[in-house]
Amino acid sequence: MESATVTASRRYPLEREIRVGLCGCGVIGEGVVTTLLRHADIIGERVGAPVRLVAVADKDPARLDIVRAQDPNIALLDDAFEITKRDDVDIVVELIGGIEVADRLVRAALDAKKHVVTANKALLAERGAALFALAKANGCDLYFEAAVAGAIPVIRVIRESLAGDRIRSVRGIINGTSNYILSRMANEGAAFANALKAAQEAGFAEADPTLDVTGGDAGHKLALIAALAFGARVLPSEIPTEGIEEVDPRDIQYARKFGYAIRPLAVAEHLEDDVLDLRVHPALVPLTDSLAHVDGALNAVAIQGEMVGPSFLSGLGAGASPTATSVAGDIIDIARNSLAGGPVRTWHLPSERDQKIQPIADLSSRYYLRFSVRDQSGVLAALSGKLGDSGISIDQLVQDHEGGDAGTASIALLTHHAREGDVRDSLRAIESTHFTTAPTQLIRIVE
Ligand SMILES: NC(=O)c1ccc[n+]([C@@H]2O[C@H](COP(=O)([O-])OP(=O)(O)OC[C@H]3O[C@@H](n4cnc5c(N)ncnc54)[C@H](OP(=O)(O)O)[C@@H]3O)[C@@H](O)[C@H]2O)c1
């Protein structure tokens, strides 16, 4: 008995325990339950006190049965708001998702002076400034490592490790569903719809994948990255965003011929005069770039700092175990600080809303263009003439006489640097002629 007491006091030198209440026991919530129970010993050792899951709430009784089977001592509730009212909860974990109810839930937790951990990028991208201010006012921490790129510690790296540097750019593949779909299209020549179906069957895409494939999810994450990296308060609706739905297997094949892969990219760059270049879109990435080799559901983030130079982080950006590990890391961080009597370390979003974002028409980039044209003489000369009239010069070009339909051809080309507004004007002029047979594909090159 005596030696057991000695062992216990050596493992947990602090007197208190940290008590966690979990709201939402879906994909990630269940992963958090498993992580906290399975790794209770190492988490306790690392914190210096036990970290105990005391209550779990979910609307679905079947989800609660899964928790009961793992530990009958955990209180099970059907109302997430009950968690915020419990005196025996120090940290509330919000994993219900969505914006409106999650907003009220996080506010209720903070008003009750509970620290909060969330993985909810949509909530923070839209309402983060007010929630961080509320956390600070209440002396609580609001942590969100799992909200961006799942298991990859992007938030900590930007917020802590690189806090002394001036960040120039962040480029990332931060939506695993889109990357899985484009990888599948590249590796198997699958059409978008078939690759999406395969992603859903493999559990990499939701039944409703809209937010992923339209770039909306990456836009939420990029808004948070821009805030962390540049202190910019940007709403997702202000970020030029394009999804991957229009990428055709032919684009992937042409890109490869030119020495590029197509990846779903999110780009945040600090330009001169405090203007930010923020955008989410599929992009041609040189095969020599590490981002071109981030395959399947993997995520990656490339950060360029003034002093640190390039850094590259890669790993699983979603899924129960990787995301739950990030959530557990936040719980541990808050627990350690709280037990050490440390001050609130919550981060705050700037309140000013005067951030200048470069209009996409002003972007200077190289472009991949694929034209569907009539297969007749003079078309190529006319097309390059029209581009030349707008000051757009061609770097490389491939002509393919099997354009799909009889009498049509495909012309794929890479331009030199040009202003996007000029390229779009030129495409409108080209499409008003008789020699195009379908809208032109435009994909930006990021290098
Ligand atoms: N899935 C991922 O890979 C991933 C990765 C990173 C971040 N995230 C983020 O993590 C959060 C959770 O995602 P998830 O995939 O775990 O979602 P999920 O599987 O849909 O789980 C959410 C759970 O919360 C329950 N719930 C919803 N509202 C509730 C309420 N008012 N009270 C009690 N329970 C409620 C849901 O029940 P019903 O189903 O009955 O509504 C569901 O069981 C989201 O913010 C998401 O963006 C997810």
Side-chain angles (χ1 to χ4, degrees):
M1 269 308 280
E2 211 178 276
S3 70
T5 311
V6 171
T7 309
S9 66
R10 194 187 305 137
R11 282 177 73 194
Y12 300 135
L14 297 165
E15 283 170 15
R16 262 192 69 200
E17 63 175 3
I18 293 289
R19 301 151 309 172
V20 177
L22 173 64
C23 304
C25 192
V27 174
I28 308 304
E30 191 186 333
V32 170
V33 172
T34 305
T35 305
L36 293 182
L37 296 181
R38 190 183 293 168
H39 293 170
D41 52 349
I42 57 169
I43 291 173
E45 276 167 25
R46 288 168 187 174
V47 168
V51 173
R52 193 157 62 85
L53 182 61
V54 295
V56 176
D58 199 288
K59 287 192 291 188
D60 182 352
R63 313 288 320 163
L64 299 176
D65 286 343
I66 295 170
V67 181
R68 188 180 290 111
Q70 293 185 71
D71 184 345
N73 297 317
I74 297 172
L76 302 174
L77 310 157
D78 60 4
D79 180 1
F81 285 83
E82 288 302 316
I83 297 264
T84 68
K85 296 176 192 155
R86 291 179 71 103
D87 291 334
D88 63 352
V89 167
D90 305 300
I91 301 175
V92 172
V93 179
E94 182 280 304
L95 291 172
I96 65 171
I99 295 184
E100 295 306 329
V101 180
D103 188 12
R104 282 195 282 117
L105 184 65
V106 170
R107 283 173 182 281
L110 294 172
D111 283 336
K113 310 272 188 242
K114 317 247 183 239
H115 301 296
V116 173
V117 175
T118 178
N120 194 332
K121 55 257 173 180
L123 173 66
L124 294 183
E126 299 286 352
R127 311 271 171 91
L131 292 176
F132 287 114
L134 183 63
K136 201 170 180 188
N138 282 310
C140 301
D141 278 326
L142 171 52
Y143 272 44
F144 57 103
E145 183 64 66
V148 179
I152 311 176
V154 180
I155 306 293
R156 261 193 193 78
V157 166
I158 298 178
R159 195 165 93 153
E160 294 173 21
S161 318
L162 302 182
D165 202 2
R166 203 180 290 279
I167 292 177
R168 294 296 186 204
S169 69
V170 182
R171 290 174 178 174
I173 296 170
I174 52 176
N175 184 269
T177 304
S178 297
N179 202 38
Y180 181 88
I181 292 171
L182 288 183
S183 301
R184 193 99 190 183
M185 288 170 72
N187 298 339
E188 289 160 33
F192 171 79
N194 294 339
L196 169 58
K197 198 159 168 278
Q200 284 169 320
E201 282 165 5
F204 291 121
E206 311 255 343
D208 179 2
T210 312
L211 212 55
D212 291 319
V213 299
T214 58
D217 173 77
H220 288 142
K221 295 168 181 167
L222 194 66
L224 290 173
I225 288 175
L228 285 158
F230 309 124
R233 196 171 149 205
V234 176
L235 288 173
S237 57
E238 296 169 311
I239 299 176
T241 300
E242 283 170 24
I244 59 163
E245 314 98 301
E246 301 302 326
V247 176
D248 188 284
R250 284 174 294 172
D251 300 318
I252 295 173
Q253 286 155 19
Y254 285 129
R256 201 178 284 146
K257 277 188 191 168
F258 290 129
Y260 294 80
I262 300 184
R263 292 281 173 248
L265 277 203
V267 176
E269 193 161 348
H270 197 256
L271 306 175
E272 286 173 8
D273 301 325
D274 252 353
V275 176
L276 294 186
D277 172 17
L278 300 177
R279 47 202 162 96
V280 171
H281 55 78
L284 264 71
V285 179
L287 289 171
T288 50
D289 188 316
S290 304
L291 285 171
H293 303 282
V294 177
D295 222 32
L298 282 176
N299 279 204
V301 176
I303 304 171
Q304 185 77 34
E306 185 179 295
M307 309 287 277
V308 80
S311 312
F312 192 79
L313 303 162
S314 174
L316 290 169
S321 302
T323 311
T325 306
S326 276
V327 171
D330 279 353
I331 293 170
I332 291 167
D333 205 5
I334 293 174
R336 281 176 176 151
N337 189 49
S338 166
L339 289 167
V344 55
R345 298 169 304 163
T346 215
W347 174 70
H348 73 98
L349 267 170
S351 52
E352 301 83 42
R353 295 274 303 111
D354 59 354
Q355 181 63 56
K356 288 190 221 95
I357 300 170
Q358 173 176 259
I360 198 74
D362 288 341
L363 175 71
S364 171
S365 175
R366 295 176 65 223
Y367 297 89
Y368 160 89
L369 303 175
R370 176 173 53 79
F371 296 92
S372 301
V373 294
R374 293 190 197 289
D375 193 6
Q376 51 192 222
S377 63
V379 166
L380 181 55
L383 194 138
S384 47
K386 288 263 181 210
L387 288 170
D389 291 346
S390 303
I392 297 149
S393 59
I394 298 169
D395 177 28
Q396 297 181 57
L397 183 145
V398 177
Q399 185 165 15
D400 188 342
H401 290 280
E402 290 163 24
D405 300 323
T408 67
S410 289
I411 295 173
L413 59 84
L414 304 186
T415 71
H416 285 294
H417 268 89
R419 185 180 162 275
E420 182 153 334
D422 297 338
V423 176
R424 299 270 181 198
D425 287 346
S426 182
L427 294 187
R428 266 190 291 278
I430 289 168
E431 284 169 8
S432 68
T433 64
H434 67 283
F435 58 76
T436 56
T437 58
T440 304
Q441 175 68 293
L442 176 153
I443 304 178
R444 301 173 190 96
I445 300 174
V446 173
E447 50 199 345

